[in-house]
Amino acid sequence: MGYEGASLSDLTRAMGINRPSLYAAFGDKEALFRNVLDRYDHGPAAYVREALNQPTSRAAVEKLMEGAADLATASSNPRGCLFVQSALACGDKAEGIRNDLILRRDAGEKAVPLRLKHCELGRNKPRTFKRSG
């Protein structure tokens, strides 16, 4: 369904609330979706941060691979990555959301080789990884 495919009626029905409650809690649909992205980042996608905080490059790569496999095969998760899938389903009206998704994905893509380079240079103490966004 994606960001644009989910109407406010769909969202309020799924959450069991009315529109005024949604607006009071989140402000608008975009703010609600950013909240969803943050929860995903600290929930199903938290393995990336955990991997980047491993003491060695081998441990980091193992954690990345295990986390990606677990995420992809868990029956409790929808197929695919929310950061990738949602950006694909965004049209011009959702450019702000698409840009946020791109920034979040890029932060992760840049952090992995940087962490591995630090390990290669003998700087095995991980820097705390925080995804931008």
Side-chain angles (χ1 to χ4, degrees):
M1 184 177 284
Y3 173 76
E4 288 186 316
S7 69
L8 285 175
S9 296
D10 294 332
L11 296 170
T12 55
R13 186 173 36 259
M15 292 187 286
I17 62 174
N18 58 32
R19 281 183 188 222
S21 295
L22 184 139
Y23 288 119
F26 300 103
D28 61 14
K29 180 180 170 183
E30 189 170 319
L32 168 62
F33 191 71
R34 289 182 199 285
N35 223 307
V36 168
L37 294 175
D38 290 341
R39 285 185 58 103
Y40 182 79
D41 191 22
H42 293 285
Y47 74 90
V48 175
R49 187 180 301 92
E50 293 167 9
L52 295 173
N53 289 320
Q54 294 299 308
T56 65
S57 57
R58 180 182 178 102
V61 170
E62 284 176 355
K63 190 74 170 172
L64 279 171
M65 300 306 287
E66 289 170 4
D70 289 346
L71 182 63
T73 59
S75 61
S76 60
N77 294 327
R79 297 280 181 217
C81 172
L82 180 65
F83 295 142
V84 174
Q85 297 298 97
S86 297
L88 295 174
C90 284
D92 292 340
K93 292 180 182 179
E95 186 174 350
I97 290 293
R98 183 176 48 239
N99 290 338
D100 187 356
L101 289 161
I102 290 167
L103 288 173
R104 289 172 188 254
R105 193 176 59 245
D106 285 352
E109 288 177 2
K110 289 176 183 169
V112 171
L114 180 63
R115 177 66 186 113
L116 297 177
K117 186 70 170 175
H118 276 243
C119 290
E120 180 184 310
L121 296 173
R123 300 179 195 148
N124 280 335
K125 184 178 180 194
R127 296 178 350 168
T128 301
F129 171 74
K130 182 180 180 213
R131 192 184 302 268
S132 65

